[in-house]
Amino acid sequence: MAPQRPFDHMASNKAHHATGWAAGVIAAALVAHAGAGGPYYLSSFLTFVAGVLGGTAPDWLEVAWWSSRHRLWITHRTWTHWGLAWLALLGYSYVELRLRFWAPLLFGFAGGGIMHLLADWPNPLGVPWIVGRHSLKLWKSGRCDIIVVAAAWSCAALVADHVFFSDVHALRALAYLRALPLCS
């Protein structure tokens, strides 16, 4: 039997993967919108992959992969979950998007990291955004993951619809909702 990694017991690991994919879609769409998608949208695709990796990064960056026991070398939800660092990385990479070939990848990775923190935020343990930990105290890890995943994918759908389809799907959905008898 393979040894368990430190974060395997977390029920929200699947949620971090699912929201990481959504973060990748959002980041790739924003890179394309900024005109940094590259030839054949190769940079956008790589941004998507980096976003998926970034969606779980705050957890796997804590693990000492170089040791045989794979224990945590950084306390969980401390340095790797520091919101200010992820936001600074996102901002810096966005400014550099059209100037540096590596900036779209860094942007996707940072976007995934921020999505991870947003998924952890409702948990009582919270996330250290600036100085101390802050929690929305809505539910424990692994519970209500469907809400976080649905919110992430709703945002991804809206951003992709805006960038690639000029909001046509969102406008049609609003028109449909307005036509419902409850909204009249």
Side-chain angles (χ1 to χ4, degrees):
M1 187 159 111
Q4 276 195 324
R5 293 186 304 265
F7 52 85
D8 277 348
H9 68 282
M10 294 172 50
S12 63
N13 194 24
K14 289 180 182 177
H16 286 311
H17 283 281
T19 58
W21 281 70
V25 168
I26 293 168
L30 292 175
V31 164
H33 186 66
Y40 305 105
Y41 289 98
L42 179 62
S43 290
S44 287
F45 175 73
L46 295 174
T47 298
F48 166 75
V49 172
V52 172
L53 290 172
T56 56
D59 286 341
W60 56 256
L61 286 171
E62 298 170 340
V63 178
W65 296 104
W66 56 87
S67 77
S68 61
R69 301 185 92 190
H70 298 299
R71 293 184 180 251
L72 296 181
W73 72 287
I74 297 173
T75 305
H76 185 55
R77 289 204 192 165
T78 56
W79 292 104
T80 63
H81 284 67
W82 189 35
L84 193 59
W86 286 102
L87 289 169
L89 191 62
L90 186 76
Y92 172 71
S93 60
Y94 183 78
V95 168
E96 298 291 318
L97 271 183
R98 299 187 76 189
L99 305 173
R100 311 273 184 234
F101 74 93
W102 45 261
L105 283 89
L106 195 58
F107 182 76
F109 190 74
I114 289 170
M115 185 68 81
H116 182 105
L117 302 185
L118 291 172
D120 281 348
W121 200 10
N123 186 294
L125 189 54
V127 176
W129 284 106
I130 297 173
V131 180
R133 287 180 193 265
H134 184 266
S135 170
L136 297 175
K137 296 179 181 147
L138 296 175
W139 53 75
K140 291 184 179 181
S141 210
R143 303 197 186 193
C144 302
D145 282 350
I146 190 70
I147 295 171
V148 173
V149 171
W153 277 101
S154 295
C155 289
L158 287 172
V159 170
D161 184 42
H162 176 72
V163 170
F164 298 117
F165 303 107
S166 301
D167 297 315
V168 69
H169 299 96
L171 293 172
R172 285 184 182 169
L174 282 174
Y176 175 76
L177 289 174
R178 287 186 183 143
L180 291 174
L182 295 173
C183 298
S184 298

